[in-house]
Amino acid sequence: MSTRSVTRDDRRNVAIIAHVDHGKTTLVDAMLHQSGAFQAHQAIADRVMDSGDLEREKGITILAKNTAVVRDDVTINIVDTPGHADFGGEVERALAMVDGALLLVDAAEGPLPQTRFVLRKALDLELPLVLVVNKVDRQDARAADVVDEVFDLLIDLGADDDSIDIPVLYTNAKAGHAGLTPDHLEPDLDPVFDTILSAIPAPEHDPDHPFQALVTMLDASPYLGRLALARVQHGTVTRGQPIAWMRADGSVETVKLAELYLTEALDRVRADQAGPGDLIAVAGLDDVMIGDTLADPKDARALPRLTVDEPSLGMTIGVNKSPLAGREGSKLTARLIENRLRSELVGNVSLRVLPTEEPDAWEVQGRGELQLAVLVETLRREGFELTVGKPQVVLREIDGVTHEPFELLTVDVPEEHVGTVTQLLGTRNGRMVDMQHGSDGWVRIGFHVPARGLIGFRTEFMTQTRGTGILNHVADGYEPWTGDLRTRPNGSLVADRIGSSTTYALLPLQDRGEMFVAPGEELYEGMIIGEHTRGEDLDVNASREKKATNVRSSTAEELVRLAPPRELSLEQALEWIRDDEAVEVTPKHVRLRKVVLDQTTRARAAKRAKWGGAPGAA
């Protein structure tokens, strides 16, 4: 077997990794514009790589995507990766496609938890790095300190001397400027392109090795069906040739490549041939999965399959069984929901779908609340009606002891809120591990906290810090169970009958708590209409009407005094509910409800619960 290794100098494959909102997609935009990828008068939206509706609405990258630019006759394949910890599986797959990475760090915020996560993954793969300190134009930029913090992080992660000796660039990605010092930026991104060509190695391959490629991502075409996105490791492949398709179960099938595509800017372009280091998209493999190997049928050799971190959070998704079911959605049955969830597994290796005791409900496990909420939001936009349970952490048995996932949480707050935040996390079994005082009156605090303690924490955190606080977290291993938590002190106001909410009924209920519904909304028994001021639940009549009399009266005063309801987004609703509650999700509404709608049955269950609870209750 040959062991020769040569490089393909006309290719570079690089990923851009960073914490969320540090400017990855903005930098890719500028690189595309300055490389001549678009025509002079072509109208291009900002954050062009964030093509999904949810990505543009939330301002985050959810799916890793690749593009290509040409610089000095070298094709640079750029993979834009998500910055949020919940989509870490996308980062892990993207890093398997490249030969190096640009580590982007905000010049003011510095390295944050997700920076640690993506940096650790890059070091594990021994990828060469280039540090890019972005947003140096900010008034609170502290570029020199941020560089020192990144090098300290590299040392903390066990990087060797070669990994620490990395190039450093400074950019203002929004303006498309870059330089070797923060005070002198070039009017273009030439330093970035030049550093990629010099510091990121060209793809290596064995010229005597047969064709071999690893499928790392999946896409779909309305004309060609499933597309497999892969990196060619060795050899060449041509459109229409037979290849060996090597699956996870060890089976090998010879198939014909119907189509072969390469990437140019934002477009996939039909190609006759692709070689080592190319990122290709191929059609003709109907059931291909991430991690499969494509190889020469005369000498088929399987590549190691991709592995990603296991899920740490799960929630139940099932059929909508509320009295209002079927009025808005077009996809209602258990078969349709199960098929859709199974199809999601095809392109998302970090998700798990497991059966439950109920035949029309499934446990979906993922990396975090945002990832699961994005899945549910996608389903509702496709016309599904669902019942979604409270997110629960995934427990593990290690040496006979129950362990739960922990998170490394970093919060940035003004000094006057430090005591409040510390107290909030103390009740959630959080442990302070670091505190840094800034010169601007802000404090950065690090906590080691159970993952279940962060469920519903963001909303309370923003309320207590009056919207000024910033929090970020990333998985930090498993530790023994720390005991029960009570993360929501207030109970629920629950409708006790079917009807429509009225101003007359809601007005006196305002003294009992905060309303989630406005007058005129349809109600049913067991539907949650507000948050109680006390810890226990309260069943109320919110559809009571004022009896007609012969005495004239004006309702204008009541209308003025009725406070507007608190509108919860899907993410906020999932954070807010307790174990015995669920979220009813339809294409037009997000409603809160009790899992058991009947008031009498819930009262009996509450009495039985006083005898004790199982681990996992929040």
Side-chain angles (χ1 to χ4, degrees):
M1 183 180 298
S2 172
T3 56
R4 288 199 300 148
S5 178
V6 299
T7 59
R8 187 177 179 186
D9 294 328
D10 64 342
R11 292 288 186 275
R12 295 292 190 277
N13 297 321
V14 61
I16 301 184
I17 57 177
H19 186 84
V20 64
D21 200 31
H22 278 197
K24 301 179 306 303
T25 306
T26 304
L27 179 61
V28 175
D29 277 2
M31 295 175 73
L32 284 168
H33 281 281
Q34 295 188 20
S35 64
F38 306 126
Q39 297 178 8
H41 302 290
Q42 186 175 355
I44 301 297
D46 292 337
R47 295 187 296 111
V48 67
M49 293 293 285
D50 287 345
S51 54
D53 291 340
L54 282 175
E55 290 180 317
R56 301 197 70 83
E57 289 175 19
K58 295 180 177 293
I60 61 173
T61 301
I62 295 175
L63 299 176
K65 307 173 190 69
N66 67 292
T67 184
V69 300
V70 177
R71 181 76 175 187
D72 298 336
D73 297 324
V74 177
T75 298
I76 303 175
N77 291 307
I78 305 169
V79 183
D80 182 23
T81 64
H84 199 286
D86 286 16
F87 306 105
E90 294 287 322
V91 178
E92 294 168 66
R93 284 188 282 160
L95 292 179
M97 303 175 68
V98 299
D99 302 297
L102 301 184
L103 175 65
L104 208 66
V105 183
D106 189 294
E109 296 182 0
L112 289 169
Q114 181 67 359
T115 312
R116 170 182 287 268
F117 171 81
V118 296
L119 186 55
R120 182 191 295 123
K121 295 297 180 183
L123 291 175
D124 289 344
L125 295 172
E126 299 181 351
L127 292 177
L129 297 170
V130 174
L131 173 60
V132 180
V133 182
N134 191 30
K135 303 184 182 181
V136 295
D137 57 310
R138 289 181 55 165
Q139 292 185 351
D140 55 348
R142 47 187 190 90
D145 292 337
V146 166
V147 171
D148 292 340
E149 291 172 6
V150 172
F151 284 118
D152 289 342
L153 180 57
L154 284 166
I155 296 173
D156 186 44
L157 293 175
D160 56 27
D161 293 340
D162 292 335
S163 300
I164 294 176
D165 186 18
I166 61 176
V168 180
L169 298 173
Y170 303 88
T171 62
N172 174 1
K174 192 172 183 178
H177 300 164
L180 301 179
T181 63
D183 300 325
H184 298 88
L185 300 185
E186 301 293 333
D188 49 38
L189 294 177
D190 284 356
V192 175
F193 288 114
D194 294 341
T195 304
I196 289 176
L197 295 180
S198 62
I200 302 299
E204 293 186 0
H205 66 101
D206 183 347
D208 301 320
H209 196 292
F211 167 66
Q212 194 180 44
L214 179 67
V215 178
T216 54
M217 299 182 190
L218 297 176
D219 203 349
S221 164
Y223 307 105
L224 301 171
R226 187 177 299 183
L227 295 176
L229 279 62
R231 160 152 179 180
V232 179
Q233 302 289 350
H234 302 281
T236 59
V237 62
T238 58
R239 176 162 43 89
Q241 83 168 61
I243 62 167
W245 170 16
M246 311 180 74
R247 308 182 191 228
D249 58 6
S251 63
V252 181
E253 179 181 351
T254 300
V255 296
K256 181 180 178 180
L257 287 187
E259 287 292 349
L260 174 66
Y261 294 95
L262 293 173
T263 301
E264 291 183 7
L266 300 177
D267 300 321
R268 290 198 180 105
V269 179
R270 196 179 187 195
D272 294 325
Q273 179 176 293
D278 281 332
L279 305 185
I280 62 174
V282 298
L285 314 174
D286 292 337
D287 300 319
V288 67
M289 299 293 289
I290 291 172
D292 291 353
T293 297
L294 310 180
D296 189 328
K298 297 179 181 178
D299 187 5
R301 310 178 192 177
L303 289 163
R305 294 193 69 84
L306 287 173
T307 58
V308 298
D309 293 341
E310 291 296 313
S312 60
L313 200 69
M315 66 184 184
T316 302
I317 297 179
V319 173
N320 183 13
K321 296 181 180 179
S322 90
L324 303 179
R327 299 189 181 187
E328 299 173 4
S330 58
K331 300 173 183 177
L332 313 172
T333 65
R335 178 181 60 83
L336 289 174
I337 295 173
E338 182 179 17
N339 290 343
R340 179 60 180 84
L341 292 176
R342 297 294 178 192
S343 69
E344 188 69 21
L345 298 178
V346 173
N348 197 335
V349 293
S350 62
L351 281 181
R352 303 284 186 274
V353 176
L354 306 175
T356 65
E357 297 178 355
E358 299 293 332
D360 54 4
W362 298 266
E363 182 183 0
V364 181
Q365 297 179 350
R367 292 285 187 85
E369 291 174 81
L370 181 59
Q371 183 189 24
L372 298 176
V374 165
L375 172 61
V376 174
E377 180 64 30
T378 301
L379 294 183
R380 73 179 292 209
R381 295 187 181 199
E382 294 175 1
F384 285 89
E385 289 194 11
L386 308 166
T387 298
V388 184
K390 178 180 175 61
Q392 302 280 2
V393 295
V394 178
L395 305 179
R396 291 183 183 177
E397 289 290 329
I398 303 177
D399 298 329
V401 179
T402 300
H403 284 60
E404 63 176 320
F406 270 69
E407 300 271 333
L408 178 62
L409 172 71
T410 299
V411 298
D412 292 275
V413 294
E415 290 181 349
E416 63 264 26
H417 298 304
V418 169
T420 301
V421 172
T422 304
Q423 183 178 1
L424 283 177
L425 288 165
T427 61
R428 296 168 181 259
N429 293 347
R431 183 177 73 250
M432 186 187 297
V433 295
D434 183 42
M435 177 182 286
Q436 300 175 10
H437 290 267
S439 58
D440 54 356
W442 281 65
V443 181
R444 174 169 293 180
I445 317 174
F447 292 90
H448 189 60
V449 60
R452 60 194 169 97
L454 295 181
I455 298 175
F457 175 70
R458 182 179 296 273
T459 301
E460 189 175 4
F461 171 79
M462 296 305 293
T463 300
Q464 295 296 330
T465 61
R466 300 177 184 175
T468 60
I470 302 172
L471 67 86
N472 298 280
H473 57 91
V474 68
D476 196 29
Y478 276 73
E479 291 190 10
W481 179 264
T482 58
D484 292 338
L485 299 179
R486 186 174 179 84
T487 57
R488 196 187 91 199
N490 296 342
S492 303
L493 296 175
V494 186
D496 64 0
R497 68 196 68 195
I498 294 177
S500 296
S501 57
T502 65
T503 301
Y504 181 72
L506 294 177
L507 189 60
L509 291 178
Q510 289 186 135
D511 296 333
R512 299 291 189 126
E514 186 177 15
M515 295 296 109
F516 295 157
V517 298
E521 294 191 27
E522 291 188 89
L523 309 177
Y524 54 82
E525 182 181 4
M527 178 176 165
I528 299 173
I529 65 165
E531 182 175 11
H532 196 194
T533 53
R534 299 185 179 182
E536 69 275 3
D537 295 337
L538 181 65
D539 291 277
V540 297
N541 179 5
S543 55
R544 184 163 54 98
E545 296 182 353
K546 186 174 183 179
K547 300 300 181 182
T549 68
N550 291 328
V551 180
R552 296 181 62 185
S553 64
S554 173
T555 60
E557 185 180 359
E558 293 183 355
L559 292 174
V560 171
R561 288 162 49 194
L562 188 61
R566 174 181 167 193
E567 296 184 6
L568 297 178
S569 66
L570 177 59
E571 292 91 338
Q572 291 171 334
L574 292 173
E575 289 181 349
W576 188 84
I577 58 176
R578 286 177 173 171
D579 292 341
D580 64 338
E581 298 167 347
V583 181
E584 177 191 353
V585 180
T586 71
K588 296 181 180 179
H589 289 92
V590 174
R591 301 184 181 97
L592 305 180
R593 52 163 286 179
K594 289 291 184 179
V595 173
V596 178
L597 297 180
D598 182 71
Q599 179 181 352
T600 304
T601 305
R602 279 188 279 113
R604 291 173 181 170
K607 290 181 180 180
R608 289 195 299 268
K610 291 183 179 180
W611 293 94

